[in-house]
Amino acid sequence: MTKADGAIHQLRTTIEAIPDQKALPAPEAQKVFEKSSNICIPFPRLVALGSKVSLAYAKPTNISVVGSYARRTSVLREGKVTIDLAVTMPSSLFHAKDYRDHRYFHKRAYYLACIAAGIQKAQVPALDISFAYQDDNLLQPIIIAQPRLDGNPKIHSHSSWKIRILLAAGDDIFPLEKTLPTKSCIKDTAAEGDSPTPRYNATLRSECSSSSYLKELQRATVRSSAFQNACMLGAIWLRQRGLGSSIYAGGFGQFEWAALISILMRDGGRAGRPILSPGYSSYQLFKATLQFLSSTDLISSPMVMQSPNFKLSHTKNPMLFDGPRGMNVLYKMSSWSYQLLQIEARNSLKALNDPLADHFRILFINKVEEPLKRFDHNFRIPFEKLASENSTFDDVVPDLADILHDKFSYGLGNRATLVYPQIPSTSIWPVDSRASHSDERTGTSIGLLLDPEHCLRTVDRGPSIEDKTAAAAFRKFWGDKAELRRFKDGTIMESLIWDASDSQQSVIGSIVNHILHRHFGVIDQESSGADGEVLARLLPQQMSSQSDVLGPFSAVKGSFESLCKSIRAMEGLPLQIRQIFAASPELRYASLHAPVAGKQTHPAKAVECLIQFEGSTRWPDDLFAVQRTKIAFLLKIADCIGKNDSISAVRLRLEKSKRKLLEQSYLDLKTTDGIIFRLAIYHEHELSMLEKALNGRIPCPSPKEEIALAIATHKRTFINRPAHTQAVTALSTRFPFLSPTIRLLKKWRDSHLLSPHLSSELLELLAIRTFIHPYPWPTPGSLLSAFLRTLHFLATWDWPSEPLILDFNAELTAAEIQSIRIRFEAWRKLDPGMNRMAMFVASNLDREGIAWTDRRPAKMMASRLTNLARAACELVKRDEGLALKPEALFVPSVGEYDILIHLKPPHDYYDTKKKTSSFKSLQMEEAAGRRGVPFDAICDPRRWFVDELQELYGDDIVFFYNESAITLIAGLWNPQTEGPRSWKVGLHYSMMPLLATGEDDGGAAEEEQVTINKAAVLHDIARLGGDMITKIDQK
C-alpha cells in the first residue's frame, strides 16, 4: 500500500494549502464559488438554502486517517481497500444553533466543495476525484479519490484501494442534550407536532464523534489483545453476507461491529459489568458477539449505555444508545435489516454448533448475499409505480421502504419471517455536476424469507365480526378479497381464501400480486418476480395446486396401502408375513413421474417393495437354494393374490445375470387402477450366509469377487434402500419443499443426460443436505431457493478431499463422525485414483458411505456434475436473479460428445389402433395384451435398447441419456479403446488394422496393430436400433 500512503500524504498537503474563504451569505457564496471553480456544491436535496446562513472556509484543525485502515483491520470489499481520511472542520465556522434545519449540513457541503476545488486546482497527480454519499446518507456527501489508470479517469475497476475524504466536527460544537434521538431538530417537523428526528440527530452526532470513537477503539485495542482480530473476523463475516455500514447495505458494517464489541467490553451486563471479557480470544469475542446479536432484541428492549437520565420512547428501529457520545450506534439500521442481521447470526451459531458443518467455509468463505439463494421469494416493483411524475428515486426512498415493509408484513403475516426491501445503493458522480439519483435505480426489489410450515396455507382468519374497528381495517386493506365466513367451530370471522387450484401461481405469489395491485397500482405484468412457481411449472403437471406438493403421490400411496392389506389378508402361505417395506422413489415422494391411476402417458417404472416373512429354521442353507425358495414363495403369493379383485394381472420375473449370485426373482402385480408393483422377498439370514461364503465357512462355487459384489448388492437392495425410503418419506412430510426439490434435481440430471451415472438415492441425499444442514442459509421456504442452494453446494463441494456426512436425526456422536472421516481417508489411500469410489456420501443410516456411490458416479461423471452445477450458478449470477429464465438451466450441452443417436419420440403405449403385425405368433401376443395382461407400461423398447448397447459396447463407449424420455443417446469413445493396440485373439469389438513400425533386438520390424472400427460399430448400432433410430451424428 505504498502508493496509497503516498496519495494520502499528497492529499493532506494539498488540503492544508487551500486558502481561507471569507464568510458570505449562502446565495452569494454559492454564486462566487461556482463562478470561480468548476465544482457543483453538493447541498442536501429537498432543503432550501437559507439566506441567513453564512458560508466560509478555514484551515482544518486536524487531518488524520481513521477507520479500519488506521487500526490495521481493513478487509477487501469488491476487491478494494477503503481508506478513510477525516478532515476536521474548525469550530469557528459554526454557531451554537447550526444543528437546526440543515444549517450544519449546508456549511459542511460548502466546506467539502472547497476541498474538492483545492484538489482539482492543485492537480494532484494520478488521482481522480468524485462525489459520493457517505454510507448512502444524503446528508453526508464525501469525496472519493481513486488512482487514475493509464491516463483514463474513468478506469478504476483494477485499482486495489480508494480514499474517502470525510468531514468531521469538534465534539463540543453542539450541546449533546439538543441532539438526542428524542429531540426534533427540523422546524417543519416540529410544527407538525414536535416529532423527533432520530436519524438526522444521529448523523450530526456521528460527525461530532469521529475522533472520540477513534480513541474508544484504540483503548479497546489496548484492553484486549484479541480485539483487532475479532474485528477482522466480524468484517469478513459481514462482507460475505452483503452487510455493510451504508444504509442500503443494512446499516451494520465494520465500524458498528467494532463499536459494539468495544461498548460490550465496558458495559451492558448486570450491575454495570461488561458483557464481553477483555480476556476472551478473538474466536470467543466473535462468537459471543454473534450470541448477543441473535438473542438480544434491541427493538423491543433498547439498550442505553452510561446514560441513566435518558428516557427513550417507543422506536421501530433498533437502539444501542452510547451515552457518552449521545448517539445510537445502530441509527442507520431499519427494523428489517436488523431482523436479517439476527437471522444471519442465528444461522452462523447453528452452524458453529453443528459438528458436521465446515465452520470456516460457512462463516468466512461462502457468499450468502445472492438474492435468489438468500430469499425464498423475490419480486421487483418499477419506480414509476412508486412515485409521482416529478419525483426522483431518492425523494421517495426514505418513506418507500417503510411503506413496502409494513404493507407486505401485514399482508403475509406469519407466512413470512422476513420482508426485506432491497434499495439500490447510491452511486458516485463527477464533482462538476449535480448528483444523479435515478439513472440506473429504476425500481426496488423485495426479498421474502418464508416459513415452510405456514406459507402454503390457503385460508386466513381475520378479526371477529364483533370487533368492528379491526374488521373495518381488515376490509380496507384487502378490499373485495375479504369475505365473512362461518367456520366449523361456529365462529364468524373475516377471512381470505386463496385459490390453490392454480398450478401456475403459488399462494405467496397470489398474495403479493393482490397487495401490489390494490396498494401500489401494479398489475401482474408490470412487476417481475422469482419464486418456486417458476420452477414448479417445469415438473410434470400432476399437482392439483402448488400448495399440495405431495398430492401427485396420493394415488400410488393409497394403492400401496391397499396392496399391503390384500397381501396380509392372504391365506395359505407357509409362513406369516412379518413386514412389507416400501423401497421405491415413488413411495418416498421422490420420483420425477408419479404413477397415476388409469392410462399411463409415458413408460412407467414398477413400484418396488419388499416382503419379509417370519423366521423359520426350514429355510435352506444353500445360497442358490434360497433363491429357488424365494421363487416358490412368489408363485404361492401369485396364486393366492390372483383371486383378489383389486389385482388385474400377475407375472413372475427372473432377472438373469452372468453372475449367478446376483440373480433376483420378482413378482409383478398390476392393480385395477393401472399401477404396477414389484414384490421381492427379503430373507434376513441371506446376508450372513454370503459373509460366511466370503470367509470360506460354507461352500460356494462362485469366486470371491462375485460374493463380495453380491454382499454389497444385498445390503443396498434389502437393507439400505428400505431404511432410506422410510427416512426420505419422514423428511418429505417434515419439509414441504423437499419432495419437489428432489424431483426437480432429477429432472436437471436427466436433462443433462446423466441418468445412467447418478443414482436416485444420491440425488435425494444431496437435496436432503440442503434442508437438514442448510448453512449458511436458513431452511429453504421455496422450491427455487432449495434447488439453487443444492446446485451451489454441488458447485463448491470439493468431493475428492471432503466427505459428505448427513445426520437425519442428530444421532451421530463425535466419535462416530470421526470414524466415518477415518473411513473416508482410508478409501482415498486405498484408491487414490478414485476408480471405484469418487464421491463419499455417508449418513446415520449408511456409515460406510458407499452404498449409493460404489462405482457410480465415476470420477469423470462426478467432475461433469460439478462443472454443470458451476455453469448453472454462473448463469444465475450473470442473469442477475429476477431476469433468470429457469428453462435455461435444463438445456443440455451436446457439443462435447463424439456420438449422438437420435431416436423417434415415444408413442402412446396404450394405443389400441397401432398396426397389427403380419406374424401370427405376434398377433396372438398382441391379442393377449389387449385382453388385460398388459405390462406394457414398464416395457420400454428404448430402455431395452440402451441396456443392450451398454451390454455390448459399455467398455468401448460411455453412454449418456435421459431415462425419463429417451429420445437422444450421446456417447464418448473410451480413450483406451480408441488408441492403437497390438492385435490379439479375442478382442471384443470390431477392429481395423494399422501398420506401425517398431524396433526390436534384431533391428527394424513391422508389428501388426489394430484400432476400433468406429464406422462398423456405429453401423451395428444402427442395425440393432432399427426403425427406432432416425439418425446418428458423429464428431
Side-chain angles (χ1 to χ4, degrees):
M1 300 299 290
T2 305
K3 292 183 179 180
D5 293 335
I8 293 172
H9 177 73
Q10 289 178 334
L11 288 172
R12 180 185 287 113
T13 303
T14 300
I15 295 172
E16 290 175 343
I18 297 175
D20 293 353
Q21 301 289 334
K22 66 178 181 179
L24 294 173
E28 183 180 351
Q30 180 182 10
K31 183 177 179 179
V32 172
F33 176 82
E34 293 185 351
K35 184 177 180 179
S36 62
S37 66
N38 191 28
I39 304 293
C40 288
I41 303 176
F43 287 123
R45 290 176 53 82
L46 304 179
V47 180
L49 185 61
S51 58
K52 296 182 180 181
V53 177
S54 61
L55 305 179
Y57 179 86
K59 184 178 179 180
T61 57
N62 183 42
I63 302 175
S64 60
V65 178
V66 298
S68 59
Y69 187 78
R71 294 185 289 109
R72 301 176 184 269
T73 59
S74 57
V75 297
L76 292 177
R77 270 191 178 266
E78 299 179 354
K80 295 183 180 181
V81 171
T82 299
I83 304 170
D84 290 340
L85 184 65
V87 179
T88 305
M89 299 176 288
S91 301
S92 60
L93 297 178
F94 303 99
H95 300 293
K97 293 187 177 182
D98 278 349
Y99 64 88
R100 297 187 63 86
D101 301 326
H102 298 89
R103 297 176 196 170
Y104 168 82
F105 294 106
H106 280 113
K107 293 185 176 183
R108 179 192 187 281
Y110 179 80
Y111 197 93
L112 186 74
C114 290
I115 293 176
I119 296 174
Q120 190 179 66
K121 184 177 180 179
Q123 296 181 351
V124 178
L127 278 182
D128 180 54
I129 63 171
S130 54
F131 283 140
Y133 287 119
Q134 180 179 342
D135 299 331
D136 292 328
N137 192 331
L138 303 186
L139 296 175
Q140 292 179 289
I142 58 174
I143 296 173
I144 300 292
Q146 301 185 87
R148 184 184 294 116
L149 302 181
D150 300 329
N152 187 345
K154 296 183 179 180
I155 302 178
H156 307 292
S157 58
H158 298 291
S159 62
S160 59
W161 53 270
K162 66 178 180 181
I163 299 173
R164 300 196 309 172
I165 301 178
L166 316 178
L167 295 185
D171 54 6
D172 58 349
I173 62 172
F174 301 130
L176 189 148
E177 63 273 8
K178 297 293 185 180
T179 55
L180 293 174
T182 55
K183 299 295 183 178
S184 174
C185 294
I186 301 177
K187 183 185 298 182
D188 295 339
T189 304
E192 297 176 2
D194 199 24
S195 299
T197 54
R199 180 165 287 182
Y200 176 94
N201 301 357
T203 305
L204 274 172
R205 296 313 315 168
S206 68
E207 296 264 322
C208 300
S209 305
S210 176
S211 60
S212 177
Y213 271 113
L214 180 61
K215 295 175 183 177
E216 169 69 20
L217 298 182
Q218 288 174 343
R219 285 193 293 268
T221 304
V222 174
R223 287 199 306 270
S224 171
S225 60
F227 176 72
Q228 285 187 293
N229 288 336
C231 290
M232 294 188 69
L233 290 177
I236 298 172
W237 181 82
L238 291 167
R239 181 192 64 187
Q240 297 306 100
R241 281 144 187 81
L243 297 173
S245 293
S246 64
I247 294 173
Y248 301 142
F252 192 93
Q254 189 169 359
F255 166 75
E256 288 76 17
W257 176 276
L260 175 63
I261 295 180
S262 176
I263 291 172
L264 296 181
M265 281 200 302
R266 72 163 196 260
D267 200 357
R270 295 180 180 179
R273 289 177 295 182
I275 293 179
L276 303 181
S277 170
Y280 282 174
S281 66
S282 58
Y283 171 76
Q284 289 173 323
L285 283 175
F286 172 77
K287 187 174 181 180
T289 306
L290 290 182
Q291 289 173 334
F292 174 82
L293 290 172
S294 64
S295 60
T296 306
D297 187 354
L298 296 176
I299 296 178
S300 60
S301 302
M303 290 189 69
V304 179
M305 303 293 192
Q306 298 181 0
S307 183
N309 297 325
F310 175 60
K311 303 300 181 183
L312 182 65
S313 59
H314 173 72
T315 177
K316 291 176 57 178
N317 299 329
M319 173 68 75
L320 180 63
F321 186 73
D322 186 6
R325 293 159 192 86
M327 188 181 83
N328 175 20
V329 177
L330 308 180
Y331 76 96
K332 288 177 287 187
M333 298 196 76
S334 59
S335 59
W336 56 89
S337 66
Y338 182 66
Q339 281 182 279
L340 180 63
L341 178 66
Q342 286 191 303
I343 289 172
E344 296 292 356
R346 293 189 191 108
N347 291 338
S348 297
L349 286 175
K350 289 179 181 177
L352 288 173
N353 295 326
D354 188 343
L356 296 176
D358 185 346
H359 301 160
F360 184 80
R361 177 181 294 276
I362 290 171
L363 268 62
F364 306 115
I365 301 296
N366 287 340
K367 296 285 287 184
V368 187
E369 60 182 328
E370 292 182 37
L372 288 187
K373 296 173 187 173
R374 165 175 273 178
F375 300 110
D376 299 314
H377 187 114
N378 293 268
F379 59 95
R380 183 176 181 81
I381 310 174
F383 168 67
E384 59 269 15
K385 292 294 179 180
L386 301 173
S388 60
E389 183 177 353
N390 297 323
S391 299
T392 65
F393 191 92
D394 292 309
D395 296 341
V396 299
V397 159
D399 298 325
L400 167 65
D402 285 332
I403 294 172
L404 290 172
H405 176 264
D406 293 345
K407 295 289 185 185
F408 285 100
S409 295
Y410 177 82
L412 293 168
N414 63 356
R415 287 186 176 90
T417 57
L418 175 66
V419 177
Y420 192 84
Q422 304 167 73
I423 309 297
S425 294
T426 56
S427 57
I428 64 175
W429 71 93
V431 294
D432 58 354
S433 64
R434 301 293 179 190
S436 176
H437 297 275
S438 56
D439 291 342
E440 299 178 357
R441 306 164 75 202
T442 57
T444 182
S445 299
I446 295 182
L448 305 178
L449 282 180
L450 303 177
D451 186 345
E453 184 179 352
H454 300 289
C455 66
L456 299 178
R457 187 179 66 246
T458 58
V459 179
D460 286 335
R461 291 194 179 194
S464 171
I465 190 176
E466 299 174 357
D467 190 347
K468 302 295 184 182
T469 303
F474 186 85
R475 285 190 170 273
K476 181 180 179 181
F477 185 89
W478 293 108
D480 296 338
K481 189 67 179 177
E483 59 182 71
L484 205 59
R485 293 178 66 93
R486 182 189 295 273
F487 292 91
K488 291 182 178 180
D489 57 3
T491 58
I492 301 176
M493 308 180 74
E494 296 286 351
S495 62
L496 300 168
I497 308 297
W498 303 102
D499 185 10
S501 62
D502 184 4
S503 61
Q504 299 300 312
Q505 191 173 61
S506 65
V507 172
I508 297 296
S510 299
I511 297 174
V512 166
N513 288 335
H514 181 82
I515 295 175
L516 287 176
H517 178 65
R518 177 163 178 80
H519 296 280
F520 301 97
V522 180
I523 60 177
D524 295 358
Q525 293 78 9
E526 294 175 329
S527 65
S528 57
D531 72 344
E533 68 193 55
V534 298
L535 290 175
R537 296 171 193 157
L538 301 177
L539 292 173
Q541 294 301 310
Q542 300 171 4
M543 292 188 292
S544 60
S545 69
Q546 292 294 336
S547 62
D548 186 18
V549 292
L550 302 182
F553 299 92
S554 57
V556 67
K557 294 289 285 187
S559 185
F560 175 70
E561 292 176 3
S562 300
L563 177 65
C564 291
K565 292 178 181 178
S566 300
I567 293 176
R568 292 184 181 279
M570 289 189 307
E571 297 180 356
L573 292 177
L575 296 174
Q576 293 294 321
I577 294 176
R578 175 184 295 175
Q579 198 164 356
I580 302 176
F581 300 99
S584 178
E586 290 79 6
L587 294 176
R588 55 180 182 257
Y589 310 109
S591 63
L592 178 58
H593 295 276
V596 294
K599 180 179 177 180
Q600 301 291 336
T601 57
H602 61 86
K605 290 184 178 180
V607 181
E608 299 177 359
C609 44
L610 307 175
I611 296 179
Q612 181 183 11
F613 290 98
E614 64 181 0
S616 173
T617 58
R618 300 180 62 184
W619 280 89
D621 294 331
D622 181 76
L623 287 169
F624 297 103
V626 168
Q627 300 302 322
R628 301 297 182 269
T629 305
K630 288 184 178 182
I631 294 175
F633 269 105
L634 292 175
L635 287 172
K636 186 63 176 178
I637 293 174
D639 182 55
C640 295
I641 205 169
K643 305 171 185 177
N644 194 299
D645 295 336
S646 63
I647 304 299
S648 62
V650 181
R651 181 181 66 177
L652 182 67
R653 181 173 180 268
L654 182 62
E655 188 179 77
K656 291 290 185 180
S657 174
K658 293 179 181 179
R659 298 180 174 91
K660 292 296 182 181
L661 279 179
L662 299 182
E663 290 184 351
Q664 295 290 338
S665 53
Y666 308 99
L667 184 67
D668 287 343
L669 305 173
K670 183 176 181 181
T671 62
T672 52
D673 54 12
I675 298 177
I676 299 173
F677 291 91
R678 176 165 292 171
L679 303 183
I681 295 178
Y682 167 49
H683 176 40
E684 62 272 19
H685 297 302
E686 189 174 359
L687 177 61
S688 62
M689 294 171 64
L690 287 169
E691 292 173 343
K692 290 178 181 179
L694 183 64
N695 297 329
R697 295 166 59 187
I698 60 174
C700 182
S702 300
K704 298 288 186 181
E705 180 182 354
E706 181 178 330
I707 298 175
L709 185 59
I711 291 175
T713 303
H714 179 90
K715 287 182 178 179
R716 183 166 52 250
T717 304
F718 296 105
I719 298 176
N720 297 120
R721 188 164 287 137
H724 177 80
T725 298
Q726 184 179 7
V728 175
T729 302
L731 290 172
S732 295
T733 55
R734 175 182 167 191
F735 301 109
F737 295 102
L738 175 59
S739 173
T741 301
I742 292 173
R743 298 176 66 199
L744 194 64
L745 192 62
K746 290 183 178 181
K747 180 178 178 63
W748 182 77
R749 171 203 64 181
D750 295 346
S751 299
H752 292 286
L753 310 181
L754 293 177
S755 301
H757 304 289
L758 298 171
S759 67
S760 294
E761 291 81 3
L762 173 59
L763 292 180
E764 291 161 19
L765 291 174
L766 292 172
I768 288 171
R769 179 221 157 266
T770 304
F771 288 84
I772 63 175
H773 303 295
Y775 322 112
W777 297 284
T779 303
S782 74
L783 174 58
L784 178 66
S785 59
F787 178 65
L788 292 182
R789 291 174 193 176
T790 304
L791 291 183
H792 172 82
F793 172 74
L794 287 173
T796 57
W797 178 26
D798 185 16
W799 46 265
S801 58
E802 295 178 4
L804 174 59
I805 306 174
L806 305 175
D807 191 357
F808 297 158
N809 304 315
E811 63 182 39
L812 289 176
T813 64
E816 291 170 334
I817 294 173
Q818 184 61 25
S819 175
I820 293 174
R821 296 186 186 279
I822 292 174
R823 186 175 291 110
F824 166 75
E825 294 172 359
W827 266 109
R828 285 295 182 254
K829 292 179 181 178
L830 183 66
D831 182 22
M834 294 178 283
N835 297 316
R836 177 176 172 182
M837 190 271 298
M839 292 180 168
F840 185 93
V841 183
S843 69
N844 56 310
L845 301 179
D846 171 32
R847 306 188 184 191
E848 295 182 359
I850 60 171
W852 314 117
T853 57
D854 189 9
R855 297 180 174 85
R856 189 173 68 142
K859 181 180 177 181
M860 179 181 72
M861 301 307 163
S863 299
R864 173 73 172 167
L865 177 66
T866 300
N867 292 334
L868 287 172
R870 288 175 180 169
C873 291
E874 285 297 321
L875 179 63
V876 173
K877 188 175 181 180
R878 186 188 68 199
D879 287 348
E880 297 183 355
L882 298 184
L884 173 68
K885 292 179 173 57
E887 297 84 358
L889 298 174
F890 298 86
V891 177
S893 174
V894 296
E896 58 268 29
Y897 295 112
D898 298 327
I899 306 167
L900 294 176
I901 305 172
H902 299 269
L903 305 182
K904 291 180 180 179
H907 297 289
D908 188 350
Y909 285 81
Y910 287 89
D911 185 6
T912 57
K913 298 181 180 179
K914 53 190 176 183
K915 186 183 296 184
T916 302
S917 174
S918 59
F919 297 98
K920 186 67 176 177
S921 59
L922 295 180
Q923 290 178 6
M924 294 174 62
E925 290 185 9
E926 291 167 358
R930 286 192 290 270
R931 286 197 301 268
V933 197
F935 282 91
D936 308 43
I938 59 174
C939 298
D940 184 4
R942 288 159 186 78
R943 182 59 193 237
W944 296 342
F945 177 55
V946 295
D947 288 344
E948 191 74 11
L949 291 180
Q950 188 66 41
E951 181 72 20
L952 295 174
Y953 305 107
D955 294 334
D956 310 323
I957 305 173
V958 182
F959 292 104
F960 302 81
Y961 56 87
N962 177 352
E963 68 177 6
S964 61
I966 306 177
T967 57
L968 175 67
I969 303 173
L972 288 174
W973 295 104
N974 188 333
Q976 296 179 352
T977 304
E978 200 174 9
R981 63 192 309 176
S982 300
W983 181 86
K984 64 179 180 180
V985 177
L987 289 177
H988 60 277
Y989 50 80
S990 178
M991 66 197 79
M992 54 189 295
L994 293 175
L995 188 62
T997 303
E999 292 186 2
D1000 56 15
D1001 295 338
E1006 290 187 351
E1007 184 183 42
E1008 285 291 338
Q1009 288 193 325
V1010 295
T1011 186
I1012 189 169
N1013 189 343
K1014 296 181 180 179
V1017 171
L1018 295 181
H1019 177 75
D1020 291 343
I1021 291 176
R1023 185 175 60 177
L1024 182 65
D1027 292 339
M1028 283 192 298
I1029 298 177
T1030 59
K1031 65 174 181 178
I1032 298 179
D1033 296 328
Q1034 183 180 9
K1035 184 185 291 187

